[in-house]
Amino acid sequence: MQIILVSRHLKAARTITIMPRHVVAVLAVVLTLVFSASAIFSWLSVHFRLPLVEDLMLSLQRQESQKSRDYVSNNLQLMATRLGELQAQVLQLDALSERVANLSGIKREAPVARAKAGQGGPYLPAPMTESALQGEIERLMATVERKTDELAVLESRLLEKKVRDRLLPTTLPVKDATLGSPFGHRSDPIAGLRAMHEGIDFTAETGTPVVVAADGVVLSAEYHPDFGNVIDVDHGEGLSSRYAHLSRIDAKPGSLVKRGQLIGAIGTTGRSTGPHLHFEVRMFGVAQDPALFLKKGVEFAQVKRR
């Protein structure tokens, strides 16, 4: 870039050529002067404590301090809220664990009660610090995890108990029946000799519905010379039940049956002296007293006795 200077004092026009390096040099000198002036002013302000600068610096410090306090306060508030939520979760888990334990029949060890020593004195609030809050949160989180694991174990046991109860023959196979011969030794009704009765009898009119006492799979549904029309049901774990002397069979071998489902009707088929249901419960083929299972239900106590 060229600049032409014209003046009446000059005999001829003068031309000045400005190169890029001249512009860079001028900018460098200007920046140096600005930074130098700022540094000198800052030094003088700090050294002589000029009121304007000192007030400005104090204002900036107060703003930064307030920001820090607000940040810490917000964090503490969030941590305190989280702590309260965890404490509520622990209380809920305690109550839920107690209910599940009662439902599953699991006895839990009661905490040892210790007498507290006498205490007293004025109330002096002591807010928790950030590190104390963090420590309490971590402790409660560990407690929540431990109680969650305990609940998982209780849930598993409750499920096992529910399944086991569904498979136990506790439902009365005949409604509105009269209890006949119990389980055990008796005088055979036909031969008149001492014999073992491996079930219990329910006396009712022919055609009275017969239901299965628990969930299971029908093993057989056929005619037997002694039992007449008989149904055997497998309940799993070696447990089975038998329903004999039926007038009809309403179940097929291999079919799934649910507790209380109709499987037949009372009759007097086979070796029988009159209409009744002969009901057996066997464990791995060994006859058990059916009353021990039926008493676990609520219906057996209402059965009519002779």
Side-chain angles (χ1 to χ4, degrees):
M1 182 175 65
Q2 293 181 341
I3 299 176
I4 300 175
L5 299 177
V6 179
S7 176
R8 65 176 179 268
H9 301 292
L10 299 176
K11 295 180 179 181
R14 178 174 296 181
T15 301
I16 300 176
T17 302
I18 300 176
M19 303 297 292
R21 63 176 180 273
H22 299 151
V23 176
V24 172
V26 171
L27 290 176
V29 171
V30 171
L31 291 175
T32 301
L33 291 175
V34 170
F35 284 124
S36 298
S38 299
I40 294 172
F41 182 74
S42 299
W43 180 83
L44 291 174
S45 299
V46 174
H47 186 71
F48 294 103
R49 295 185 178 273
L50 298 180
L52 178 62
V53 176
E54 187 174 3
D55 292 342
L56 179 61
M57 293 182 65
L58 288 176
S59 177
L60 292 174
Q61 289 178 356
R62 282 194 296 269
Q63 291 179 7
E64 291 298 324
S65 298
Q66 185 62 38
K67 288 181 180 180
S68 298
R69 286 194 297 271
D70 291 342
Y71 177 77
V72 173
S73 177
N74 290 335
N75 279 348
L76 290 176
Q77 184 63 35
L78 290 175
M79 294 175 72
T81 302
R82 178 58 176 161
L83 180 61
E85 292 174 351
L86 288 173
Q87 289 173 338
Q89 288 182 12
V90 170
L91 292 177
Q92 292 175 355
L93 287 173
D94 282 337
L96 183 59
S97 297
E98 190 66 28
R99 291 197 298 270
V100 173
N102 292 334
L103 289 174
S104 61
I106 300 173
K107 294 183 179 180
R108 306 180 67 187
E109 294 183 2
V112 179
R114 297 181 179 178
K116 293 185 177 181
Q119 297 178 351
Y123 171 67
L124 299 175
M128 298 182 69
T129 62
E130 183 177 358
S131 59
L133 278 172
Q134 184 63 35
E136 185 66 11
I137 288 175
E138 292 176 356
R139 185 188 69 80
L140 287 176
M141 289 180 65
T143 301
V144 169
E145 292 179 0
R146 176 173 55 80
K147 290 186 177 295
T148 302
D149 293 339
E150 290 178 358
L151 271 178
V153 174
L154 289 175
E155 181 184 25
S156 176
R157 293 185 181 179
L158 181 60
L159 181 61
E160 291 176 2
K161 182 178 182 297
K162 184 177 180 181
V163 172
R164 185 171 61 252
D165 290 345
R166 291 290 302 174
L167 299 179
L168 287 178
T170 58
T171 295
L172 203 64
V174 183
K175 315 299 180 184
D176 299 325
T178 301
L179 186 64
S181 297
F183 177 87
H185 293 93
R186 67 173 181 176
S187 176
D188 185 80
I190 297 177
L193 301 175
R194 179 179 170 81
M196 179 64 184
H197 187 225
E198 294 186 331
I200 57 177
D201 293 340
F202 293 96
T203 303
E205 295 181 0
T206 300
T208 301
V210 174
V211 301
V212 67
D215 293 1
V217 179
V218 177
L219 289 176
S220 62
E222 58 190 7
Y223 182 83
H224 186 278
D226 293 327
F227 294 111
N229 292 326
V230 59
I231 298 176
D232 286 344
V233 178
D234 180 18
H235 303 293
E237 302 295 332
L239 193 64
S240 64
S241 58
R242 173 170 292 174
Y243 311 80
H245 306 304
L246 303 174
S247 60
R248 72 171 190 270
I249 294 176
D250 296 328
K252 296 181 179 180
S255 61
L256 295 174
V257 288
K258 295 293 184 180
R259 179 188 299 273
Q261 179 178 330
L262 179 68
I263 58 173
I266 280 184
T268 183
T269 57
R271 192 170 182 269
S272 171
T273 61
H276 71 285
L277 172 70
H278 173 80
F279 177 64
E280 292 184 6
V281 174
R282 292 180 175 270
M283 178 65 73
F284 296 107
V286 179
Q288 310 291 321
D289 185 356
L292 298 177
F293 296 89
L294 295 176
K295 286 179 180 178
K296 296 181 181 296
V298 297
E299 302 171 318
F300 188 71
Q302 304 172 2
V303 177
K304 301 174 184 177
R305 267 70 170 176
R306 287 184 178 179

